[in-house]
Amino acid sequence: MAAVQDGPIELEPENEIKTETSNEVLGNPGDASGGVPPTAPVAAVATEKPAAAAADSTERQTLLAVLQFLKKSKLFESEEILRREAGLLNEIGDSQGSGAGGAGLGGGGDAEPESGDASSLLSRVAGAAATASANATPAPAKVTPVVTGGEDQPDVNVVLAAYSQQGDPVLYPVYYSGLKRFIDSVLDCHRAELSQVFYPLFVHMYLELVYNQYEKEAKAFFEKFHGDQECYYKDDLRILSGLTKKEHMKGNETLLDFRTSKFVLRISRDSYQLLKRHLQERQNNQIWNIIQEHLYIDIFDGMPRSKGQIDSMSGSLAGEAKREANKAKVFYGLLKEPEIEVPLDDEDEEAENEEGKPKKKKPKKDSTGSKSKKQDPNAPQQSRIPLPELKDSDKLDKIMNMKEATKRVRLGPESLPSICFYTFLNAYQGLTAVDFTDDSSLVAGGFADSTVRVWSVTPKKLRGVKTAGDLSLIDKDSDDVLERIMDEKTASESKNLYGHSGPVYGISFSPDRNYLLSCSEDATVRLWSLQTFTCLVGYKGHNYPVWDTQFSPYGYYFISGGHDRVARLWATDHYQPLRIFSGHLADITCTRFHPNSNYVATGSADRTIRLWDILTGNCVRIFTGHKGPIHSLAFSPNGKFLASGATDGRVLLWDIGHGLMIGELKGHTDTVYALKFSRDGEILASGSMDNTVRLWDALKAFDDIETDDFTAATGHITLPENSQELLLGSYMTKSTPVIHLHFTRRNLLLGAGAYNP
Amino acid sequence: MAEERRSKLSNTLLPTESMKGIAESIGVSQMQEETCQVLSEEVSYRIKEIAQPLYGFHAQDFIPFRFASGGGRELYFYEEKEVDLSDIINTPLPRVPLDVSMKAHWLSIEGVQPAIPENPPPAPKEQQKAESTEPLKAVKPGQEEEGQLQGKDKKKLLEGSAMKLKPRSTHELSVEQQLYYKEITEACVGSCEAKRAEALQSIATDPGLYQMLPRFSTFISEGVRVNVVQNNLALLIYLMRMVKALMDNPTLYLEKYLHELIPAVVTCIVSRQLCLRPDVDNHWALRDFAARLMAQSCKTFSTTTNNIQSRITKTFTKSWLDEKTQWTTRYGCIAGLAELGHDVIKTLIIPRLQVEGSRVKAVNEGPIVGNIDKIGADHVQSLLLKHCAPVLAKMRSPPDNQEQYRVEYGYLGPMLCTHVVKARAQAAMQAQQVNRTTLTITQPRPTLTLSQGAQSSRTPSIIKVPSSITLPMQTLVSARPSTPTQPSPPPTKFIVMSSSTGSTTTQQVITLSSAQSSVTSTSPVTSTVPSLQPLVKLEGGHTQGAGPLSGGGGASRTMQKYIVVSLPPAGDSKTLTPSPALESNSATSVKLERADSPATGNQSPQPSH
């Protein structure tokens, strides 16, 4: 079973997949293949080592109890399978935690012949449910002692409890409102923390009711309490409200997320004790079980958090990130710039001097000197990710870039950038994506009618390469061979690229401007040549619409993410992905490369942002705090910070090294679709559906935050309410939603959007 | 709120009938109710699952189903029209939709959003309103948030100190704006009708005029003052058309400038004389047009605090009731009132029909009086008939008896009666048209064109804004020595309008040096008065309330005037009457009049505001 589970993603046996899936009801597929013992999530609930050990022993007891029960019920076949399954697991080692137990029980379920499909966890659960409910009605009586015996039940009980008659459906509202009363009555400092329990509890109680086919009670329960939930859960609640039958639970993805991933809460020890004591005093096993089984409570020592602190971090589909999820070291520094031969540079400068430009040798040397300074201690090793060799044309481009950089406008609150806005007119078919090349010479637009279109915004027209026949006539040794291969007859200001069979959602130029990537609803990513203006490759791998794609800043690699909730890392010369990053609980809506190309950030409709290590495939950061699907991401040029924009209209700033939220920029009234830092990182520009471009003082936002050891350690940060001070300007367009922003090398801000009359 | 959310999440199901219908459509009949129920739940869920997250819920503007019922059955079906292929083939192909194109413009230049048509209006109406009502929150265009912040800071400052700070709003115009202003004003009052139409179109639509509004407002109000005195009908009409254009511009918030615009408009309604030859010129049209403008501004701007409508009504009524009021003014008053709506007609005009009728009768049947009075009375009569008939048609029930009308409304009664009958017939016609499903409403737009044939000798281009004087405004301002200790007053700008009537005179342009000297001479005075009043000096034409101009004399006389208008910084001048001190002051500054002014200079009646 484990192998099947691993099947589609076995390209990289990453730890990430393991940690993600280890939470699932059916246990840990990584055990068989990986060999690294998983951190037992259930043990972590108690966060005490002895407890984990105790869990281990109760684990065996539970298993034995089930085996005994099966024997008694004369289900020899099932028993044998379970025994075999457990035995197999035992071979791996006794030290492993509850994950094995979970898998064992899952194996029990697997006795059903229909359980071959690894993709549908729930169907197996349901299958197991059928066996148990048909043959083992007295089961709960047998199991409950085990349950009460140990605090940390293995996942087996999740399955059993789900269809046991443990809770009287009529009592659910009573339990819930009892807890509500209790939490309302506790001290203020604990109330905010404990209130976090409401939403996951509500959902799980509702699901239990639905699962046990108490349709009417479930409806009543939903009606009664859904209004109490925080408004950012509205979308999830709407899906939930449609789900009223057990059959519906099969294959419902949102549900699957809820049942397979634990909702993570961070609660201070004091508050947790308070809750625990209350529930135990009241013998409120129903709620206690849910908390134990479906919630991951990350307990910390110290002051309870304030409501504001909690609110700033909550909102994601599955609660906050676990603290240890953000502990991995991230090499956020930039790679050393390759040394570019000085003679070339000098030559160019001389040429410029001839044109009568003032000599500026000194500062130039300084700038090149600073570029080649010592390796940044936070930077990854130069060869950590193999990067493509620099071509001569790349070097030329780098020199151009450096030259432009000397002419760059220093931005700041006093000198705001000028904004040039490119309005797409007559785009009735719907403009869905825009990208500019780094040197701002080309613009590409992706449209909902499946076309991609490239414009030249410089007087230089777009030309295709001559046909093969014509090319053979060219003198290949001539100096201007690159010029000769171009076909003058094809020169035009824009070129259409046809190939996709669905709306184009993402578009990205390669850094060398030779290629263009586009991703589409048709589940493919296409690579286009900007020499011939034809499609070179269609990368197939995603099963559903691909929402975003982006080239690595060094070219060659690219990332894509889509509705199938995984991000894929590709290399242009491989037709299969190099890495698959899975872990998001909903669509991946945007993908961005870190400037050093060692990491990618993905934003998702599960309202989280994840940072992935390309080398290992691990998820190294999970950022929660957005209250809506994330639609834009931007790394600061120094690689230290990340900005994210979402449908909630807020822009959040993150410190990658510390894994902390460090700023909240409020002002937009609609989805933020575009984010970009200025070339030197002083200004953050954001563009939104609300037809505005806003400029924010990024330096101030990053300076204002004090990241002392305590906040860094706990992650409990109080955000300064200073969005208004940070806002440097707001520029309204004429009914044109802003869907892309780009800073030219001289720090002129370019915006793009389709006029929407 | 919880209730609201609850309703949003309500669980809607497809009706079981739909299931039956669908089943029948694929040949499954006799579905059990229970089956339908189960199916409906399942299908509803699946539809929600698939369609809801992807597409959300949108109000479809077109649902292709038609409904029919009969025999106890309800049906929804596609309406499939029979299409004649030849029709399709023969119809010309529709135009190919325009190709996607990309257009670049400056959204912001170094932090400031340029006021170009590609950008939205720099100051949205709400902000203009906030600025006029809450000047403390005044913000710069394009930087609302920051501006609000500044406002906040200022509030903090206010809390700290007892001193009241009124933020000085800046109204400097860029060179482009100055040029634009010059071009527009010249075109609006110039002789080329095509240019004027273009200029008015620009005023009515351009989003970036907000900053020029104070200038336009003063231009109009001063222009009206001058041209009323000169009886220059053409100019007055042009100026009123400017007012109309300003009011038509959806991006402008005019309320701040009503104190200048309303008197100007009212002047054009009720002034005793608006043209040089009242017997020939059609000043009545101007009065009608201005009355419509007045009614429009009443509708738009009247609030419980400014009470524009009631004040205007009072003004009109008062001068109408005055026995000595001229026919021209009388006409204006009635027109002004009548445009305010049926209620006003009903309550104020109809009760006075009898009195007004006898007055008309006295002119028509009494001893021979001047031609002017006769024309005036005629116009008043037709005006009353025109406006009262539709109202009476609604007030009274059908049998329209001439005698009864005579009894009730006196002299005008019988004529009213015929008009009412006509009005009724017309109303019936319209009602019929409504029934015939095609409804064409032809509403004549109040447009005003001037027939220039009659005025052979006069050139309508009177107000000239010489470029040599308007453009170096900044030089004028900067030429003034400003001491650092004394806060310098807001920059005063001078526009010299030279107006000339008569065929022989030529335009005189004040040289820059003289204007400059006048500035320097007045500057000590102006610096003491922070809020400048609009200054106007009508040299020689100041014999207030001199007898009515009769017979249109003076057409042959030549006169030449120089009027120095100092444009106050916008928003500062709130009162209407120019302060005498300043007036005399400006009088001293301009001693440039050459020709004799007519002895019968006519000051227009200015309603107190």
Side-chain angles (χ1 to χ4, degrees):
Chain A
M1 181 197 71
V4 177
Q5 179 71 29
D6 227 0
I9 41 177
E10 72 193 339
L11 276 154
E12 282 301 317
E14 310 109 35
N15 291 335
E16 180 42 38
I17 290 172
K18 273 176 267 161
T19 41
E20 286 312 305
T21 44
S22 63
N23 292 340
E24 287 165 7
V25 180
L26 291 184
N28 205 322
D31 288 353
S33 57
V36 186
T39 46
V42 185
V45 175
T47 61
E48 289 156 49
K49 275 264 154 27
D56 216 36
S57 63
T58 48
E59 181 53 38
R60 294 194 69 83
Q61 280 177 14
T62 314
L63 216 60
L64 288 174
V66 174
L67 284 171
Q68 254 175 354
F69 162 70
L70 288 174
K71 206 173 182 179
K72 257 189 199 163
S73 316
K74 303 215 163 44
L75 291 162
F76 298 117
E77 202 178 327
S78 299
E79 188 209 338
E80 196 184 333
I81 290 168
L82 178 57
R83 211 176 265 285
R84 208 170 47 219
E85 196 81 20
L88 181 92
L89 287 160
N90 286 340
E91 272 174 31
I92 288 164
D94 286 347
S95 61
Q96 62 175 247
S98 52
L105 217 278
D110 257 358
E112 291 289 307
E114 45 95 9
S115 65
D117 179 16
S119 69
S120 169
L121 288 171
L122 222 100
S123 68
R124 264 173 293 160
V125 174
T131 353
S133 53
N135 305 321
T137 3
K142 281 279 170 196
V143 177
T144 24
V146 187
V147 171
T148 42
E151 253 172 42
D152 310 300
Q153 304 101 3
D155 286 348
V156 48
N157 291 327
V158 180
V159 184
L160 285 183
Y163 29 84
S164 69
Q165 299 293 322
Q166 204 169 29
D168 182 353
V170 184
L171 288 178
Y172 273 58
V174 180
Y175 289 147
Y176 188 85
S177 42
L179 185 72
K180 212 170 117 183
R181 264 199 308 281
F182 162 71
I183 289 175
D184 281 345
S185 69
V186 298
L187 282 178
D188 280 359
C189 61
H190 299 299
R191 189 185 306 147
E193 286 207 317
L194 293 181
S195 300
Q196 299 176 84
V197 175
F198 282 137
Y199 174 67
L201 208 59
F202 167 79
V203 176
H204 282 295
M205 288 173 89
Y206 176 74
L207 290 181
E208 275 192 18
L209 286 173
V210 171
Y211 204 97
N212 289 316
Q213 296 179 318
Y214 298 119
E215 197 179 323
K216 222 181 273 166
E217 286 85 352
K219 253 184 194 167
F221 183 77
F222 189 88
E223 283 303 307
K224 193 163 177 197
F225 297 114
H226 86 259
D228 302 338
Q229 310 306 326
E230 299 281 358
C231 54
Y232 36 80
Y233 295 123
K234 195 178 66 196
D235 287 347
D236 298 338
L237 287 179
R238 199 179 53 213
I239 293 169
L240 211 59
S241 74
L243 187 140
T244 49
K245 286 193 186 313
K246 189 175 161 186
E247 295 78 56
H248 296 162
M249 291 171 87
K250 269 187 211 172
N252 185 312
E253 288 171 350
T254 318
L255 246 178
L256 205 70
D257 296 337
F258 234 98
R259 296 187 65 86
T260 55
S261 67
K262 294 200 169 198
F263 199 93
V264 181
L265 302 171
R266 273 190 214 174
I267 293 186
S268 71
R269 187 172 300 283
D270 292 350
S271 305
Y272 178 69
Q273 295 296 350
L274 213 62
L275 178 70
K276 192 168 155 188
R277 210 175 309 134
H278 167 78
L279 291 176
Q280 284 176 350
E281 272 169 20
R282 294 292 169 91
Q283 302 277 303
N284 202 339
N285 285 328
Q286 197 64 35
I287 288 182
W288 188 240
N289 285 344
I290 290 173
I291 289 179
Q292 290 298 301
E293 286 154 19
H294 300 293
L295 269 52
Y296 179 99
I297 297 186
D298 192 354
I299 298 165
F300 60 87
D301 294 304
M303 286 282 290
R305 291 186 295 170
S306 69
K307 176 114 179 73
Q309 283 174 324
I310 293 169
D311 278 351
S312 70
M313 301 289 286
S314 60
S316 111
L317 191 68
E320 295 182 38
K322 295 169 198 164
R323 263 177 305 164
E324 70 259 21
N326 287 339
K327 286 285 181 255
K329 163 99 175 139
V330 174
F331 301 101
Y332 55 80
L334 301 185
L335 294 178
K336 212 163 68 177
E337 283 290 314
E339 302 265 355
I340 289 164
E341 295 92 78
V342 187
L344 240 171
D345 199 37
D346 269 0
E347 210 172 83
D348 256 42
E349 196 159 287
E350 267 162 38
E352 207 162 80
N353 281 336
E354 277 165 14
E355 282 162 26
K357 294 268 165 66
K359 268 198 175 180
K360 272 194 175 172
K361 215 138 203 178
K362 267 259 153 108
K364 189 99 186 190
K365 256 182 189 161
D366 280 356
S367 71
T368 49
S370 67
K371 279 266 195 298
S372 57
K373 69 173 179 217
K374 299 284 170 294
Q375 173 92 23
D376 184 342
N378 290 312
Q381 276 192 337
Q382 205 71 9
S383 56
R384 191 167 179 265
I385 300 289
L387 292 174
E389 288 274 311
L390 276 189
K391 291 182 298 223
D392 283 351
S393 57
D394 297 333
K395 285 177 184 162
L396 273 173
D397 196 54
K398 283 240 185 292
I399 290 163
M400 277 301 293
N401 192 357
M402 271 151 70
K403 270 202 222 154
E404 295 253 6
T406 58
K407 296 176 193 155
R408 189 177 290 165
V409 185
R410 294 290 297 176
L411 297 179
E414 300 307 320
S415 58
L416 293 174
S418 298
I419 307 172
C420 180
F421 200 89
Y422 288 91
T423 310
F424 287 75
L425 301 168
N426 312 317
Y428 307 110
Q429 70 271 55
L431 178 72
T432 40
V434 175
D435 194 33
F436 287 92
T437 50
D438 188 67
D439 68 347
S440 316
S441 62
L442 302 176
V443 182
F447 295 90
D449 67 353
S450 341
T451 58
V452 174
R453 201 158 176 171
V454 185
W455 278 269
S456 166
V457 288
T458 59
K460 202 178 150 194
K461 291 194 168 169
L462 299 173
R463 294 170 304 175
V465 173
K466 286 178 183 164
T467 57
D470 289 345
L471 280 175
S472 62
L473 303 174
I474 291 174
D475 171 16
K476 287 171 190 71
D477 297 326
S478 70
D479 287 341
D480 59 344
V481 67
L482 288 177
E483 188 58 32
R484 288 190 186 195
I485 59 169
M486 302 317 265
D487 189 355
E488 264 326 304
K489 281 184 295 227
T490 63
S492 62
E493 270 175 26
S494 78
K495 296 265 185 213
N496 277 326
L497 305 176
Y498 300 108
H500 281 295
S501 58
V504 178
Y505 288 118
I507 209 160
S508 175
F509 280 106
S510 71
D512 61 5
R513 298 187 293 286
N514 283 328
Y515 304 105
L516 177 72
L517 276 176
S518 62
C519 65
S520 158
E521 187 265 346
D522 64 13
T524 63
V525 180
R526 277 176 187 268
L527 183 74
W528 308 85
S529 163
L530 297 182
Q531 302 289 337
T532 57
F533 296 99
T534 52
C535 183
L536 302 176
V537 195
Y539 298 96
K540 290 173 190 169
H542 288 281
N543 300 322
Y544 290 102
V546 189
W547 299 130
D548 199 8
T549 186
Q550 199 206 10
F551 253 114
S552 146
Y554 293 88
Y556 185 61
Y557 300 110
F558 64 94
I559 180 86
S560 64
H563 180 62
D564 57 7
R565 308 189 225 177
V566 293
R568 285 169 160 81
L569 179 82
W570 312 72
T572 46
D573 55 1
H574 287 61
Y575 65 89
Q576 280 186 321
L578 306 178
R579 295 283 185 279
I580 293 179
F581 305 112
S582 98
H584 276 296
L585 300 175
D587 301 29
I588 289 174
T589 44
C590 55
T591 51
R592 279 294 167 274
F593 260 95
H594 189 276
N596 70 18
S597 199
N598 277 252
Y599 298 90
V600 286
T602 53
S604 164
D606 68 8
R607 307 185 286 268
T608 64
I609 298 148
R610 281 169 186 252
L611 190 71
W612 310 86
D613 187 338
I614 285 180
L615 183 70
T616 62
N618 286 343
C619 174
V620 287
R621 290 287 180 272
I622 303 176
F623 296 131
T624 63
H626 271 297
K627 313 288 189 260
I630 284 119
H631 276 284
S632 50
L633 290 169
F635 282 98
S636 70
N638 62 9
K640 273 187 181 169
F641 306 104
L642 178 68
S644 60
T647 55
D648 57 9
R650 299 180 317 149
V651 174
L652 297 181
L653 304 173
W654 311 90
D655 182 329
I656 295 168
H658 294 98
L660 286 179
M661 187 197 294
I662 52 164
E664 180 185 22
L665 306 175
K666 280 192 268 192
H668 281 295
T669 54
D670 209 332
T671 307
V672 179
Y673 271 135
L675 280 172
K676 197 81 177 189
F677 282 95
S678 67
R679 293 276 169 158
D680 297 319
E682 314 97 330
I683 300 267
L684 172 66
S686 61
S688 160
M689 270 282 274
D690 66 8
N691 305 342
T692 59
V693 174
R694 286 172 202 248
L695 302 176
W696 311 86
D697 191 341
L699 280 187
K700 194 164 186 285
F702 297 140
D703 283 349
D704 279 5
I705 205 80
E706 20 54 86
T707 42
D708 55 52
D709 290 343
F710 174 74
T711 48
T714 57
H716 305 157
I717 198 127
T718 315
L719 294 174
E721 269 291 327
N722 62 350
S723 313
Q724 294 310 309
E725 289 164 39
L726 297 175
L727 181 65
L728 299 176
S730 170
Y731 307 96
M732 193 94 177
T733 66
K734 215 172 185 176
S735 32
T736 309
V738 185
I739 65 166
H740 191 74
L741 289 171
H742 173 78
F743 274 98
T744 67
R745 290 170 174 177
R746 299 188 188 187
N747 265 340
L748 171 72
L749 180 56
L750 307 179
Y755 179 58
N756 190 13
Chain B
M1 192 162 141
E3 279 304 308
E4 192 188 327
R5 250 185 273 160
R6 228 157 267 217
S7 65
K8 255 191 240 162
L9 292 176
S10 65
N11 204 353
T12 45
L13 289 179
L14 291 174
T16 48
E17 286 79 29
S18 309
M19 296 302 121
K20 264 196 192 135
I22 291 164
E24 276 172 31
S25 75
I26 55 163
V28 180
S29 56
Q30 305 288 318
M31 283 258 283
Q32 280 180 6
E33 191 62 32
E34 223 170 285
T35 321
C36 288
Q37 183 73 34
V38 172
L39 266 178
S40 131
E41 279 173 19
E42 177 66 16
V43 168
S44 302
Y45 171 74
R46 294 297 165 200
I47 286 177
K48 274 181 197 170
E49 190 185 39
I50 295 163
Q52 187 168 326
L54 273 186
Y55 303 106
F57 293 115
H58 287 291
Q60 287 289 322
D61 40 3
F62 175 62
I63 298 166
F65 297 110
R66 291 282 166 276
F67 173 74
S69 64
R73 296 289 303 268
E74 290 180 340
L75 260 181
Y76 291 87
F77 60 93
Y78 279 115
E79 191 167 39
E80 285 171 355
K81 282 182 190 154
E82 271 182 34
V83 181
D84 192 348
L85 277 178
S86 63
D87 276 0
I88 294 176
I89 293 162
N90 291 332
T91 47
L93 286 171
R95 264 199 318 162
V96 178
L98 291 169
D99 197 14
V100 185
S101 64
M102 212 170 58
K103 187 177 186 304
H105 76 272
W106 290 108
L107 186 67
S108 153
I109 296 170
E110 288 173 358
V112 180
Q113 189 163 35
I116 47 174
E118 286 88 352
N119 286 329
K125 245 181 161 175
E126 301 76 50
Q127 191 197 325
Q128 293 180 35
K129 189 174 177 181
E131 230 169 66
S132 61
T133 49
E134 287 177 89
L136 269 181
K137 283 187 185 161
V139 288
K140 270 190 199 167
Q143 302 197 342
E144 298 129 85
E145 263 62 30
E146 206 185 8
Q148 273 166 20
L149 193 76
Q150 284 166 358
K152 232 195 273 172
D153 285 350
K154 271 174 196 140
K155 258 184 204 156
K156 264 184 218 158
L157 209 78
L158 279 182
E159 281 160 16
S161 64
M163 193 173 63
K164 285 225 165 170
L165 287 178
K166 189 168 190 268
R168 185 127 47 86
S169 41
T170 51
H171 288 272
E172 288 140 24
L173 298 188
S174 64
V175 178
E176 291 86 355
Q177 283 174 318
Q178 290 179 29
L179 272 172
Y180 173 84
Y181 174 79
K182 175 177 161 274
E183 286 289 323
I184 287 285
T185 47
E186 272 177 12
C188 279
V189 297
S191 54
C192 177
E193 182 59 36
K195 253 185 158 178
R196 181 171 15 262
E198 213 173 301
L200 290 172
Q201 174 71 19
S202 170
I203 295 179
T205 53
D206 211 302
L209 295 182
Y210 157 68
Q211 281 181 315
M212 275 173 273
L213 198 48
R215 270 88 181 174
F216 278 125
S217 163
T218 314
F219 179 85
I220 291 165
S221 100
E222 294 308 322
V224 167
R225 269 182 218 221
V226 172
N227 289 293
V228 157
V229 175
Q230 308 208 347
N231 297 323
N232 193 331
L233 181 64
L235 251 279
L236 290 173
I237 289 173
Y238 299 153
L239 292 169
M240 283 305 108
R241 285 170 69 182
M242 273 180 85
V243 176
K244 168 114 181 76
L246 283 175
M247 285 176 69
D248 285 348
N249 191 322
T251 65
L252 294 177
Y253 182 75
L254 284 181
E255 200 166 56
K256 251 161 81 170
Y257 308 98
L258 290 180
H259 66 280
E260 283 188 316
L261 294 177
I262 288 188
V265 173
V266 172
T267 302
C268 289
I269 303 173
V270 298
S271 177
R272 244 169 300 183
Q273 194 176 350
L274 289 169
C275 53
L276 286 172
R277 290 173 304 171
D279 51 341
V280 186
D281 295 342
N282 188 5
H283 59 96
W284 312 104
L286 172 62
R287 291 176 200 274
D288 285 336
F289 182 72
R292 250 172 260 142
L293 279 181
M294 191 62 238
Q296 193 189 332
S297 45
C298 279
K299 231 179 268 163
T300 325
F301 302 110
S302 194
T303 60
T304 47
T305 40
N306 64 16
N307 259 335
I308 293 173
Q309 176 144 1
S310 68
R311 283 156 74 188
I312 289 296
T313 316
K314 250 179 235 162
T315 313
F316 285 142
T317 324
K318 209 177 135 204
S319 59
W320 186 26
L321 295 183
D322 190 348
E323 282 299 308
K324 294 195 195 85
T325 308
Q326 296 283 308
W327 281 110
T328 47
T329 308
R330 197 169 286 281
Y331 178 90
C333 291
I334 298 167
L337 285 173
E339 291 293 346
L340 289 175
H342 281 193
D343 283 344
V344 178
I345 294 173
K346 204 161 131 184
T347 49
L348 292 175
I349 298 180
I350 287 175
R352 273 190 64 82
L353 277 176
Q354 206 149 21
V355 183
E356 216 52 43
S358 57
R359 201 189 299 274
V360 173
K361 190 180 174 192
V363 174
N364 281 349
E365 296 176 1
I368 297 147
V369 282
N371 194 24
I372 298 286
D373 278 355
K374 176 85 171 72
I375 294 169
D378 277 351
H379 273 96
V380 167
Q381 177 184 317
S382 55
L383 180 74
L384 283 171
L385 293 175
K386 185 179 97 188
H387 283 296
C388 294
V391 182
L392 282 174
K394 273 188 195 157
M395 280 169 66
R396 299 175 67 99
S397 37
D400 294 309
N401 189 333
Q402 297 251 353
E403 274 313 304
Q404 207 178 339
Y405 271 77
R406 186 191 295 283
V407 171
E408 274 181 59
Y409 306 115
Y411 173 74
L412 294 173
M415 278 176 278
L416 266 177
C417 183
T418 39
H419 272 83
V420 168
V421 172
K422 262 188 218 161
R424 283 194 209 286
Q426 209 169 1
M429 275 277 285
Q430 272 171 4
Q432 251 181 345
Q433 274 176 348
V434 171
N435 286 346
R436 254 189 276 127
T437 66
T438 48
L439 174 62
T440 45
I441 300 168
T442 47
Q443 206 169 26
R445 298 289 303 160
T447 48
L448 202 53
T449 43
L450 192 77
S451 58
Q452 289 189 331
Q455 304 149 348
S456 54
S457 59
R458 266 178 291 150
T459 49
S461 84
I462 304 288
I463 297 184
K464 275 280 171 198
V465 189
S467 56
S468 57
I469 296 174
T470 42
L471 272 180
M473 282 177 195
Q474 282 148 337
T475 6
L476 286 185
V477 177
S478 61
R480 185 168 43 206
S482 61
T483 48
T485 48
Q486 194 182 1
S488 60
T492 316
K493 295 185 181 168
F494 291 84
I495 293 176
V496 179
M497 298 187 285
S498 97
S499 61
S500 70
T501 46
S503 53
T504 50
T505 46
T506 51
Q507 300 278 332
Q508 277 278 316
V509 175
I510 300 176
T511 57
L512 183 61
S513 57
S514 70
Q516 216 163 5
S517 69
S518 76
V519 172
T520 38
S521 69
T522 50
S523 59
V525 186
T526 48
S527 61
T528 55
V529 185
S531 74
L532 261 177
Q533 304 299 327
L535 302 185
V536 61
K537 183 60 188 171
L538 310 176
E539 288 298 329
H542 213 63
T543 44
Q544 268 267 19
L549 195 83
S550 58
S556 58
R557 256 176 296 176
T558 63
M559 53 182 185
Q560 178 107 19
K561 287 183 187 183
Y562 294 100
I563 292 119
V564 175
V565 181
S566 84
L567 293 181
D572 280 350
S573 56
K574 290 288 181 204
T575 55
L576 190 70
T577 47
S579 83
L582 283 168
E583 210 168 344
S584 62
N585 182 38
S586 73
T588 57
S589 69
V590 185
K591 289 281 179 200
L592 295 163
E593 80 270 38
R594 288 194 326 181
D596 283 343
S597 47
T600 52
N602 204 354
Q603 191 82 335
S604 62
Q606 297 276 0
S608 58
H609 190 63

